Amino acid sequence: MASNIAILVIVITLLLQGGEAQLTTNFYSTSCPNLLSTVKSGVKSAVSSQPRMGASILRLFFHDCFVNGCDGSILLDDTSSFTGEQNAGPNRNSARGFNVIDNIKSAVEKACPGVVSCADILAIAARDSVVQLGGPNWNVKVGRRDAKTASQAAANSNIPAPSMSLSQLISSFRAVGLSTRDMVALSGAHTIGQSRCTNFRTRIYNETNINAAFATLRQKSCPRAAGSGDGNLAPLDIKSPTSFDNSYFKNLMAQRGLLHSDQVLFNGGSTDSIVRGYSNSPSSFDSDFAAAMIKMGDISPLTGSSGEIRKVCGKIN
């Protein structure tokens, strides 16, 4: 009997110290029963008025999870005494949707003050954004707490770059526990959203594994000279930029990937067969994407007594 109690104490202690074990789909079922409907309603209204916002929220979640785990650190604003992640290279002038998360957080705070983390709101909102644009649904695991710190240096070094080679992408995802297949599935998030000219200029002017008509079309709004039209946008998926579907993979097979890091997934390498599979089977892409999102959501969460539940997503309490 005594040994059973000792084991129970150890298990409880381990749980309180944090770790994936505490993330569950029903973490807030009694403490904030209207959480899911509140987030869904906020996402629905934001994405209905601007479909691109769905991609922006999904990207915020990626960029949060790749930097010291899914801890809401990307949401922290810079101040005179605090440097966050929002002005790191991958986020500066491109990360957006903070206001949507802030609005959802204030609605959640009205319903259940001090209970739900910003990290969890972002995780749920990312799922709801995908669903709103026609993509797969999945049960989001929650129970994360919010970081009290952020790292611009880690954001600069850990977030996969649009110039990466296939081997660099594989390594970058492997570093956070995601497989090559997860990486290809998650890259399929580029079935929605837009990218800035500065991210694809080199590809459309210098690369040869690109459809000529596609390159010419993109060159019209992205001048060759650096510094000219850097912020001009183009859809990552030329076929259906506001529908979450498998067109992205069909585009890659036709050499119409917008970013270098897109086209390397189908360029005679080890991931060609995965791209081909997703191009042929929307259902296999949907199920792999959902599974990879759950796996990504498990990266180094703060749980138990670690971190805090922020009152406002942009600043620590």
Side-chain angles (χ1 to χ4, degrees):
M1 181 70 180
S3 65
N4 285 351
I5 291 170
I7 290 167
L8 190 60
V9 168
I10 290 167
V11 169
I12 290 169
T13 306
L14 286 171
L15 284 172
L16 289 173
Q17 285 171 349
E20 290 175 22
Q22 268 188 294
L23 296 189
T24 60
T25 56
N26 61 354
F27 190 84
Y28 300 111
S29 56
T30 53
S31 58
C32 194
N34 295 326
L35 170 63
L36 295 180
S37 58
T38 306
V39 176
K40 186 177 182 178
S41 150
V43 169
K44 191 171 183 181
S45 109
V47 175
S48 299
S49 62
Q50 189 189 45
R52 181 187 171 208
M53 190 54 75
S56 300
I57 292 169
L58 179 57
R59 184 168 182 259
L60 276 186
F61 183 56
F62 273 76
H63 286 205
D64 186 30
C65 293
F66 265 79
V67 183
N68 301 324
C70 313
D71 60 2
S73 57
I74 194 171
L75 304 173
L76 290 169
D77 300 323
D78 285 7
T79 67
S80 54
S81 59
F82 176 85
T83 302
E85 297 163 17
Q86 294 178 13
N87 284 299
N91 296 327
R92 191 173 51 248
N93 299 325
S94 67
R96 55 198 296 280
F98 299 104
N99 57 323
V100 176
I101 301 302
D102 288 343
N103 292 342
I104 293 171
K105 171 66 170 171
S106 61
V108 170
E109 283 298 301
K110 284 196 185 84
C112 2
V115 172
V116 183
S117 67
C118 296
D120 278 343
I121 287 172
L122 181 54
I124 298 163
R127 185 271 314 269
D128 288 347
S129 295
V130 170
V131 173
Q132 179 74 11
L133 293 172
N137 201 345
W138 63 92
N139 293 324
V140 179
K141 291 204 276 187
V142 286
R144 301 171 190 80
R145 288 166 65 84
D146 294 320
K148 297 181 188 177
T149 58
S151 173
Q152 189 177 81
N156 279 321
S157 60
N158 297 1
I159 295 171
S163 55
M164 278 187 172
S165 66
L166 180 58
S167 60
Q168 287 172 322
L169 286 170
I170 290 170
S171 299
S172 173
F173 278 71
R174 188 188 294 135
V176 290
L178 296 167
S179 70
T180 299
R181 193 173 186 87
D182 294 328
M183 182 271 289
V184 178
L186 291 170
S187 296
H190 286 177
T191 176
I192 52 174
Q194 315 233 356
S195 186
R196 300 167 70 235
C197 164
T198 182
N199 290 326
F200 58 84
R201 175 181 281 126
T202 302
R203 169 148 169 77
I204 62 173
Y205 286 103
N206 299 348
E207 297 186 5
T208 53
N209 60 340
I210 187 167
N211 174 281
F214 175 69
T216 304
L217 174 67
R218 291 284 75 101
Q219 288 167 7
K220 286 178 181 169
S221 57
C222 181
R224 187 187 290 266
S228 173
D230 284 4
N232 293 356
L233 297 171
L236 286 154
D237 172 358
I238 191 171
K239 277 187 176 171
S240 51
T242 56
S243 292
F244 197 99
D245 54 28
N246 70 336
S247 294
Y248 168 79
F249 299 103
K250 295 179 179 180
N251 294 336
L252 297 186
M253 291 181 68
Q255 295 192 315
R256 296 198 299 179
L258 184 64
L259 306 179
H260 176 82
S261 57
D262 290 324
Q263 197 58 57
V264 294
L265 302 181
F266 191 82
N267 194 40
S270 61
T271 51
D272 281 20
S273 59
I274 304 174
V275 169
R276 203 175 278 113
Y278 292 156
S279 172
N280 291 332
S281 171
S283 61
S284 79
F285 165 52
D286 281 355
S287 58
D288 283 3
F289 181 83
M293 285 293 290
I294 293 167
K295 203 166 159 187
M296 185 172 74
D298 276 339
I299 300 171
S300 309
L302 296 172
T303 56
S305 55
S306 303
E308 64 180 11
I309 302 297
R310 278 182 223 144
K311 295 182 175 70
V312 174
C313 293
K315 59 181 186 185
I316 53 179
N317 293 342

